Amino acid sequence: MQANVGDKLLMHGRTVGHHDRTAEVLQVLGENGTPPYRVKFDDDGHEALMSPGPDTVVRHHPEAGAS
């Protein structure tokens, strides 16, 4: 997994009753975009350090000026 600052992580709910969550990548602590990441969750605003698992998808932030 590789992510950049500004990308969104979509964590799929793993059990019944747990909804998908999204978080913005604030800081990349691994080399070449690899985990761990410091993130801010969209639903409640708390920040955490995480190494996402296989239930997480990176939604890359569009490049500025890209068409």
Side-chain angles (χ1 to χ4, degrees):
M1 172 175 294
Q2 291 186 322
N4 298 303
V5 172
D7 288 348
K8 294 280 187 171
L9 300 181
L10 170 63
M11 285 119 332
H12 295 288
R14 295 187 291 180
T15 57
V16 174
H18 287 125
H19 300 285
D20 292 352
R21 295 183 76 193
T22 56
E24 180 180 355
V25 176
L26 301 177
Q27 184 179 17
V28 178
L29 300 168
E31 294 184 20
N32 300 319
T34 59
Y37 306 119
R38 187 170 61 88
V39 300
K40 181 176 182 180
F41 286 90
D42 294 338
D43 58 355
D44 62 7
H46 88 271
E47 294 183 15
L49 183 66
M50 67 180 293
S51 292
D55 57 338
T56 302
V57 177
V58 178
R59 299 225 168 141
H60 296 286
H61 183 69
E63 295 290 327
S67 47

